Amino acid sequence: CIQGQPPPVDEPFEGLRPSDACCVCGGGQRNATAWRYKVTEQVLVFGDEVEDFPAPQIASRYDVSEGCGLSEIGLTLSSAGVVTGSLPNYTS
């Protein structure tokens, strides 16, 4: 909320709209918590093993979006947000 006004998208989350929750009292977290996978800051090579967790872990469940290519490179995402697997080892 900005000066007591709800955000442009006032969609319910778990049955409660922002305008009914935070905006009424002026409290609550107003921005999404930033998170990342540390592996995104690393240089990976073919054949590397990957195991990474979201930091901070802000959700109770994680899902792969439609069209995500993790499985194409040998990686999986658990419902806990853990990315694991082995990158392909391409040889000529």
Side-chain angles (χ1 to χ4, degrees):
C1 301
I2 300 171
Q3 297 179 1
Q5 296 299 312
V9 179
D10 196 26
E11 294 294 322
F13 176 74
E14 295 185 3
L16 191 61
R17 294 180 182 278
S19 58
D20 297 329
C22 300
C23 297
V24 173
C25 68
Q29 182 173 338
R30 298 179 177 153
N31 297 317
T33 301
W35 62 277
R36 64 186 169 82
Y37 284 96
K38 292 178 184 176
V39 72
T40 62
E41 299 173 358
Q42 299 172 0
V43 175
L44 299 173
V45 296
F46 297 122
D48 276 356
E49 293 286 326
V50 173
E51 181 179 40
D52 200 8
F53 305 81
Q57 190 161 359
I58 59 171
S60 58
R61 179 173 176 79
Y62 294 79
D63 292 307
V64 175
S65 298
E66 186 176 328
C68 177
L70 278 178
S71 63
E72 295 172 11
I73 58 170
L75 301 178
T76 60
L77 175 72
S78 76
S79 62
V82 181
V83 175
T84 56
S86 298
L87 296 176
N89 191 0
Y90 296 105
T91 57
S92 302

